[in-house]
Amino acid sequence: SPEKNASIYTYVDNIAFNPDIVFLQEINDSPQNSSCWNIWSSYTPICAPAHAQGSGVAILYRSNLFNVVDSSIIFESHILYVKVEFNNVLYHLYNVLIPQDNKVALRAIQCLEDDLAQRKDGVIIIGGDFNTTPNPSLDRFCMPIEHRPKIANALQSVLDSYHLSDIWRRLHPHDKKISWQRNNP
């Protein structure tokens, strides 16, 4: 909705570190189909809009920040890939929204892994909503037991295969923290 979009924009625009890149999930419309994207005037969007509830992703970046080399939808409207060049370094950006259905989620993770296998150069950055956690006792407040262990294990296997890690968890190995405060949108 335009109201939710404005609320998220206000939150992003007021962040002290002023992000150059924003990953959004559950995007229901593309910039070509909706005027509610006009508020993001300082960002250029690349979208894989939703085909159903609980899908749709977008990567927004500050205009003229880097050269976009390639972009593609890796898995339906759940995984968006953007290849960029910045200061002569290639970056592979993935915005991931793992579906709630376990069979579909496993297919999405397999598509992510297949695509990662093609990326032999540059830096890989993956962000998004994975709808699972590798360490439920540390990463969950309300549900101490992982309700999707197959999905968590499959995702962890991909991360291990490509030597990827959760940067926040790496910097805060024992902290249990809510990164999204209740009073924010």
Side-chain angles (χ1 to χ4, degrees):
S1 73
E3 295 80 21
K4 187 183 278 188
N5 195 9
S7 179
I8 292 170
Y9 176 79
T10 300
Y11 174 75
V12 168
D13 196 45
N14 289 325
I15 293 176
F17 57 83
N18 194 17
D20 290 321
I21 302 171
V22 178
F23 286 26
L24 298 173
Q25 296 80 39
E26 298 192 28
I27 302 303
N28 296 319
D29 212 348
S30 68
Q32 296 79 19
N33 297 333
S34 177
S35 63
C36 70
W37 286 89
N38 293 343
I39 197 166
W40 296 92
S41 60
S42 58
Y43 290 92
T44 300
I46 300 175
C47 298
H51 300 297
Q53 187 175 0
S55 64
V57 291
I59 296 175
L60 297 98
Y61 62 94
R62 294 244 179 236
S63 301
N64 303 318
L65 176 66
F66 44 64
N67 180 35
V68 175
V69 177
D70 188 22
S71 68
S72 60
I73 298 170
I74 302 303
F75 184 78
E76 298 170 4
S77 54
H78 291 277
I79 303 176
L80 177 63
Y81 166 73
V82 178
K83 180 179 183 179
V84 302
E85 183 179 6
F86 179 72
N87 289 339
N88 296 320
V89 177
L90 288 177
Y91 291 85
H92 305 281
L93 310 176
Y94 291 88
N95 189 354
V96 177
L97 175 57
I98 297 294
Q100 291 292 336
D101 179 277
N102 285 344
K103 287 181 183 179
V104 179
L106 288 171
R107 284 198 330 261
I109 292 169
Q110 184 61 56
C111 286
L112 175 63
E113 184 171 24
D114 293 346
D115 199 78
L116 284 167
Q118 301 175 39
R119 312 301 167 196
K120 306 291 184 201
D121 58 347
V123 177
I124 295 171
I125 299 173
I126 302 174
D129 183 351
F130 302 97
N131 284 311
T132 191
T133 58
N135 186 343
S137 63
L138 197 55
D139 297 324
R140 289 196 181 272
F141 281 90
C142 301
M143 191 182 313
I145 298 171
E146 177 57 56
H147 69 289
R148 301 179 78 192
K150 270 188 172 179
I151 307 307
N153 291 339
L155 188 59
Q156 190 61 53
S157 176
V158 170
L159 298 178
D160 292 345
S161 294
Y162 292 93
H163 310 288
L164 300 169
S165 64
D166 179 339
I167 297 300
W168 193 89
R169 179 57 59 216
R170 199 166 164 195
L171 295 173
H172 307 276
H174 306 292
D175 291 353
K176 192 169 191 172
K177 178 185 175 198
I178 297 175
S179 59
W180 188 262
Q181 302 298 322
R182 274 221 183 279
N183 58 350
N184 291 331

